[in-house]
Amino acid sequence: MKGGTIVNLIATHSGTDGVRLETTEGIMHIAMAMYTPGIARIRYTLNAELSGKESLMVVSRPEAESVEWTIEEHSGHLEISTVLLKIKVDKLTCAFSYWDADGRLLTREPSRGGKTLERTEVYHTVFDASADTVETGQGADGLRARAEGVNRRLDREAFHTKLEFEWQEDEALYGLGSHEEGMMNLRGRQQYLYQQNMKAVVPVLVSTRGYGILVDSGSYMTFHDDAFGSYLWSDADEEMDYYFIYGPEFDQITGGIRYLTGEAPMLPKWSFGYVQSKERYISQAELIATVQEYRERSLPLDCIVLDWQSWTGNLWGQKTFDPERFPDPSQMMNSLHAMNAKLMVSIWPIMGAGGANHEEMKERGFLLGNQATYDAFREEARELYWKQANDGLFSHGVDAWWCDCTEPFEADWKGVVKPEPEQRLLINTSESKRYLDPGLINAYSMQHSKGIYEGQRAATSEKRVINLTRSAFAGQHRYGTVTWSGDIAANWETLRKQIADGLNFCLTGSPYWTLDIGAFFVKKQKEQWFSNGDYDEGVADLGYRELYVRWFQLGAFLPMYRSHGTDTPREVWQFGEEGEPMYDTLVKYLKLRYRLMPYIYSLAGAVAHRSYTLFRALAFDYREDVQVHSIGDQFMFGPAFMAAPVTGAMYYGPGSLELEGVRKLRSVYLPAGEWYDYWSDERIEGGLTIEAKAGLETLPLFVRAGSIVPLGPEIQYTDEQPDAVISLKVYGGKDVSFTLYEDEGDNYNYEHGSYSMILMTWSEAERSLTIGKRAGDYAGMQAVRQFTVEIAGQAGSCIVNYEGEAVTVREADLNL
């Protein structure tokens, strides 16, 4: 049923501030005053009153100041306004339209009304925990457990919801999370929103018209902009509940999303270094030997990963070390830490019978109906899960978590033929709803992450939480998570699609996304549709080596720089030796990542302190340029860099087949303005498409005119040489500023003001750089340090001795 005609209007300025619309078909509520002038919350129900449900995604902000708003009644519509946003409501149909303060239409619902509710019955399955009815087995993605229920019982009534829009010509839409199809602009597309391997759902849309929509729903959803209409649909909600967020710039929209769902905390500094992983390091000795090899070769590394089966035998999901393969975990951690390396360990929400962790969960009644997966929606179960992880792993010195398989009821990773999208939707959501409330099946990963974060925060403030997880949800970022894109396959098409998938994820307000460099599956297994790599010989195949190098180049400009996968080794030296093009190119980008650490960590500071986004679709910075709206294979890395990864073979095909006649060029669109080629400092006028050099050693990389880039020395790990000289490279062309952020790197003292910021500004008219007065301090801070200043395109530089007070350097001061 749709909203119908307004029969009563109630406006309040206290309590749940806003406008209550009593209609012939239900109640609507528009809240403007509880948030910021650019955010409105809209709810709709057919029940006698609005739901009092507690949101999992939206945080309470009791400290928020009230926002002034007005309501005006006109002959045919109502206008509810703040200084930034106006909502018009048709009195006869309750169709909403959204306008900015200048009277510019942002978007609207169809004139007949755009909100539909349909009652639906919600059932839960009853299981007999004592009966021997659980089937277990080993799937491609680990342990699987399935139980048949005794019966299904009616739990409550809920609603299917449908929210329709009439989007405008040349309007681009982004978001919805990270999926596998590589869609950038979502106009003219459809998407199914349920959590699954290679599907990480965040129910947010962002528009180039300058607004975003956050849907507060934990049920599965669908998005359509196709022959069936333009709408968002949800399966089982207590009411329709969404937020309209005005920007108009994307940084303002994602800032509004984080205002609602919580800010992203600082990740440890080391997590922005290189993370080496594979399936899998077998033993304590192998982990230590691998790190030693990196150090002996002077290859930068900050973390090594212990993938599944750290436990004993078949005790899947047991959060302890196998004493035969890891005889002294504490000593192992001491050895790794002595080499300035961290350890990330894979843990799972599913636990096999026979393990102490499983038995303890079962005794306490904390397992879901399959008697294997713990109930992350119960606080006591989350607390027990953390206690187990702490006792078995964290207490030995483990540094980070890899929460794998956080969409725990995957059901279609089997068979020769990949099921059709509609089949996959039904297979996977039906399996999830067997064990979880249908209104919450998309939120499991959020609650799982919450338990890890709150548990570690309670245990210590000296080690920041970082949790690499395969699923996502709006607000999950507030728990120190990085989402990766799942078990992808090694081929060029996947590499290309992954870029758009990650950019859309970060457009939802969730700032940290990554992937398996080189892809998880490298070989093609005919009996498994998902094992669809093109390289059966792995690293022995020159075609795979070329693909891996290009993936590695992309990885150097992702929030987390991480190699992982099965079928073939992944360490740098597996791809050649010093002096060989593949090896040397990998080392080149590995070292570049570490030289960029002052820039990257400053942007991490901006994420935490200013709701910034590091991995940026071009529309973040060029929203009104329609040319960028569908570009899904270029991106901004912070405010300065634009990367254009190579996504096609130039040298070798599968089987080391040598390719002939392939140009070593890559088409790149440069938005309006001036740009610098990073490799040559050549200055290029934008507003056109160029053919950029793209030989194996070259990722086309450009710097926006009007940029300040801080660079560090070559280092082996992120904490090395804290007193090193920082080079400040200025790319002139227009006025610009950049804030250098520093803190203690791996504790939460920054939450209490222990950090420093140095604002640096470039004046184009005066051709001068001012290094501003330092604001703040922290333990171990270098009170006196040196900067080297250089200007792109100019020979020479100068050294600045900086003691915390403002210093200005002019172009004439450089030793030209």
Side-chain angles (χ1 to χ4, degrees):
M1 301 179 71
K2 294 188 185 298
T5 302
I6 297 172
V7 294
N8 192 23
L9 165 66
I10 303 172
T12 64
H13 282 78
S14 62
T16 55
D17 233 344
V19 178
R20 176 185 171 105
L21 306 175
E22 296 179 352
T23 81
T24 55
E25 296 182 8
I27 299 166
M28 295 185 184
H29 190 272
I30 306 170
M32 307 286 277
M34 294 190 295
Y35 308 102
T36 72
I39 299 177
R41 181 187 186 188
I42 294 96
R43 291 185 288 169
Y44 173 38
T45 184
L46 300 181
N47 294 330
E49 288 298 333
L50 294 164
S51 166
K53 72 179 179 74
E54 180 180 354
S55 175
L56 295 181
M57 69 170 61
V58 176
V59 298
S60 174
R61 289 192 180 267
E63 79 284 1
E65 297 182 4
S66 62
V67 174
E68 291 190 8
W69 59 277
T70 61
I71 181 169
E72 297 180 6
E73 189 165 359
H74 298 266
S75 58
H77 69 276
L78 305 173
E79 290 186 8
I80 303 99
S81 306
T82 70
V83 294
L84 294 179
L85 177 64
K86 179 180 295 184
I87 300 176
K88 296 182 181 180
V89 183
D90 187 294
K91 289 183 178 180
L92 291 178
T93 66
C94 283
F96 283 27
S97 58
Y98 304 84
W99 308 73
D100 68 14
D102 296 325
R104 177 175 173 267
L105 177 65
L106 301 171
T107 190
R108 65 175 8 129
E109 297 172 1
S111 58
R112 55 180 161 72
K115 300 179 187 66
T116 305
L117 298 179
E118 179 186 2
R119 293 189 186 275
T120 183
E121 294 179 334
V122 176
Y123 291 84
H124 74 269
T125 307
V126 179
F127 296 92
D128 182 358
S130 63
D132 187 19
T133 58
V134 178
E135 296 180 8
T136 60
Q138 188 78 11
D141 204 15
L143 177 68
R144 290 286 160 226
R146 193 172 193 274
E148 293 295 337
V150 177
N151 55 52
R152 296 171 70 237
R153 292 180 182 172
L154 180 64
D155 183 70
R156 67 186 187 280
E157 275 198 340
F159 297 103
H160 299 315
T161 79
K162 185 176 183 179
L163 178 60
E164 298 177 78
F165 292 95
E166 291 182 348
W167 290 306
Q168 300 181 60
E169 187 177 358
D170 290 333
E171 177 178 6
L173 295 173
Y174 309 105
L176 302 183
S178 173
H179 302 267
E180 61 179 297
E181 295 83 11
M183 295 185 284
M184 189 67 232
N185 182 358
L186 299 174
R187 290 301 305 277
R189 307 295 189 113
Q190 70 178 74
Q191 187 58 267
Y192 298 118
L193 307 181
Y194 61 93
Q195 310 288 10
Q196 195 47 247
N197 196 334
M198 300 192 292
K199 291 180 75 66
V201 173
V202 187
V204 168
L205 279 177
V206 176
S207 166
T208 53
R209 294 291 291 180
Y211 66 89
I213 297 165
L214 167 69
V215 181
D216 193 343
S217 171
S219 74
Y220 87 79
M221 299 173 62
T222 63
F223 164 83
H224 286 268
D225 186 33
D226 54 22
F228 296 98
S230 299
Y231 60 90
L232 287 158
W233 179 92
S234 74
D235 175 54
D237 282 314
E238 302 302 297
E239 63 191 7
M240 180 180 287
D241 189 356
Y242 68 97
Y243 295 80
F244 190 91
I245 305 161
Y246 174 69
E249 301 305 328
F250 280 17
D251 280 310
Q252 295 169 308
I253 298 168
T254 54
I257 294 167
R258 285 189 223 160
Y259 177 86
L260 290 170
T261 63
E263 299 297 334
M266 288 296 297
L267 303 183
K269 186 176 182 180
W270 64 258
S271 69
F272 296 98
Y274 178 59
V275 179
Q276 178 63 64
S277 182
K278 70 174 184 180
E279 188 201 42
R280 60 190 169 89
Y281 294 107
I282 302 297
S283 66
Q284 174 174 336
E286 188 181 8
L287 285 169
I288 292 171
T290 303
V291 174
Q292 286 175 331
E293 181 88 0
Y294 270 90
R295 294 291 178 248
E296 289 168 3
R297 289 174 175 264
S298 296
L299 298 173
L301 174 74
D302 265 274
C303 180
I304 192 164
V305 180
L306 178 55
D307 198 353
W308 59 8
Q309 297 184 40
S310 56
W311 48 80
T312 302
N314 296 321
L315 303 181
W316 194 279
Q318 173 74 13
K319 295 176 283 298
T320 53
F321 290 105
D322 176 8
E324 291 189 8
R325 293 178 293 119
F326 304 93
D328 193 340
S330 295
Q331 181 56 47
M332 174 179 70
M333 294 311 309
N334 290 338
S335 298
L336 293 174
H337 290 164
M339 292 185 286
N340 298 291
K342 311 296 184 184
L343 179 66
M344 175 184 285
V345 176
S346 167
I347 57 176
W348 298 68
I350 189 169
M351 288 159 268
N357 289 174
H358 177 273
E359 292 304 311
E360 191 175 17
M361 284 284 181
K362 184 175 182 179
E363 288 172 4
R364 300 278 296 275
F366 292 164
L367 296 176
L368 293 169
N370 67 351
Q371 293 302 301
T373 303
Y374 91 103
D375 187 353
F377 292 95
R378 294 182 62 176
E379 183 177 2
E380 312 97 300
R382 294 195 300 270
E383 290 173 351
L384 178 58
Y385 188 92
W386 164 254
K387 181 181 182 300
Q388 294 172 347
N390 185 36
D391 291 347
L393 300 171
F394 193 67
S395 63
H396 292 291
V398 166
D399 301 286
W401 308 106
W402 178 3
C403 288
D404 206 343
C405 205
T406 48
E407 61 303 284
F409 299 112
E410 168 192 289
D412 68 343
W413 270 53
K414 55 189 176 183
V416 176
V417 179
K418 183 177 183 178
E420 289 298 298
E422 291 77 12
Q423 287 180 295
R424 297 195 70 195
L425 169 73
L426 292 174
I427 292 169
N428 288 304
T429 59
S430 295
E431 187 69 7
S432 294
K433 289 194 285 187
R434 178 189 298 268
Y435 309 108
L436 298 174
D437 187 302
L440 296 172
I441 63 171
N442 273 349
Y444 185 93
S445 178
M446 160 85 100
Q447 298 305 96
H448 186 40
S449 301
K450 179 180 181 180
I452 295 294
Y453 182 82
E454 292 181 345
Q456 184 174 322
R457 288 300 306 264
T460 180
S461 62
E462 296 305 306
K463 187 176 285 189
R464 293 178 189 166
V465 180
I466 181 163
N467 172 3
L468 179 67
T469 183
R470 199 170 68 186
S471 192
F473 195 59
Q476 183 175 291
H477 58 261
R478 65 181 180 254
Y479 299 128
T481 57
V482 179
T483 297
W484 100 97
S485 60
D487 296 343
I488 54 179
N491 53 64
W492 289 97
E493 180 184 16
T494 298
L495 171 58
R496 176 181 55 79
K497 288 180 176 180
Q498 285 285 286
I499 302 170
D501 293 336
L503 292 172
N504 268 306
F505 182 86
C506 292
L507 274 156
T508 66
S510 301
Y512 292 120
W513 178 91
T514 190
L515 46 67
D516 291 348
I517 290 175
F520 185 75
F521 295 108
V522 175
K523 299 179 181 180
K524 188 184 300 291
Q525 303 285 351
K526 292 183 179 179
E527 67 277 9
Q528 298 176 330
W529 62 262
F530 43 83
S531 183
N532 194 34
D534 286 344
Y535 305 95
D536 289 345
E537 299 302 316
V539 294
D541 190 327
L542 294 177
Y544 180 66
R545 291 191 182 195
E546 180 187 353
L547 174 66
Y548 187 88
V549 166
R550 295 304 193 183
W551 226 309
F552 202 81
Q553 291 172 340
L554 165 63
F557 295 91
L558 294 179
M560 176 175 272
Y561 191 20
R562 167 185 165 273
S563 174
H564 179 66
T566 191
D567 296 333
T568 194
R570 303 300 172 109
E571 298 82 13
V572 172
W573 54 86
Q574 305 289 351
F575 296 85
E577 289 294 339
E578 187 174 354
E580 297 176 1
M582 302 279 190
Y583 180 92
D584 288 350
T585 301
L586 294 176
V587 173
K588 173 183 176 179
Y589 286 87
L590 188 54
K591 290 183 175 180
L592 175 59
R593 172 73 172 205
Y594 278 79
R595 285 215 66 202
L596 287 170
M597 200 53 61
Y599 174 79
I600 295 169
Y601 196 62
S602 292
L603 297 179
V607 170
H609 293 278
R610 295 192 285 109
S611 295
Y612 189 69
T613 300
L614 174 61
F615 184 52
R616 304 165 68 82
L618 296 185
F620 262 102
D621 300 283
Y622 301 96
R623 178 174 60 88
E624 295 184 348
D625 182 351
V626 296
Q627 297 279 55
V628 311
H629 286 179
S630 295
I631 293 178
D633 59 358
Q634 298 175 211
F635 58 89
M636 297 296 295
F637 185 63
F641 291 97
M642 183 176 69
V646 174
T647 58
M650 293 181 175
Y651 297 88
Y652 299 99
S656 301
L657 176 66
E658 192 165 355
L659 303 179
E660 297 180 0
V662 181
R663 296 194 311 158
K664 310 304 188 285
L665 300 172
R666 202 277 200 199
S667 293
V668 178
Y669 176 69
L670 299 176
E674 290 187 312
W675 297 84
Y676 291 81
D677 184 310
Y678 175 76
W679 306 111
S680 67
D681 280 355
E682 176 189 0
R683 202 159 169 169
I684 308 168
E685 189 65 36
L688 74 168
T689 299
I690 66 167
E691 295 296 307
K693 294 179 181 178
L696 181 71
E697 74 286 353
T698 303
L699 165 74
L701 184 63
F702 301 87
V703 183
R704 185 159 48 177
S707 293
I708 301 169
V709 178
L711 297 158
E714 288 192 7
I715 53 177
Q716 298 302 297
Y717 53 94
T718 52
D719 286 337
E720 189 181 19
Q721 303 182 44
D723 58 348
V725 176
I726 292 179
S727 173
L728 303 176
K729 188 162 184 178
V730 178
Y731 294 83
K734 62 180 181 179
D735 294 348
V736 68
S737 64
F738 184 88
T739 298
L740 182 70
Y741 174 87
E742 296 176 300
D743 64 18
E744 294 170 54
D746 195 8
N747 59 40
Y748 287 97
N749 292 341
Y750 76 89
E751 293 181 339
H752 309 291
S754 292
Y755 58 86
S756 74
M757 292 185 179
I758 303 173
L759 178 65
M760 303 172 177
T761 57
W762 168 258
S763 169
E764 182 67 18
E766 298 181 7
R767 300 289 291 177
S768 66
L769 175 70
T770 297
I771 305 171
K773 183 176 181 178
R774 181 191 286 123
D777 60 16
Y778 58 93
M781 185 184 75
Q782 301 297 314
V784 178
R785 73 179 320 152
Q786 286 188 329
F787 293 105
T788 298
V789 179
E790 59 179 306
I791 299 174
Q794 300 286 352
S797 62
C798 74
I799 296 177
V800 176
N801 292 306
Y802 178 76
E803 299 182 359
E805 297 298 323
V807 178
T808 297
V809 179
R810 292 174 173 79
E811 188 173 40
D813 297 330
L814 274 61
N815 300 315
L816 302 178

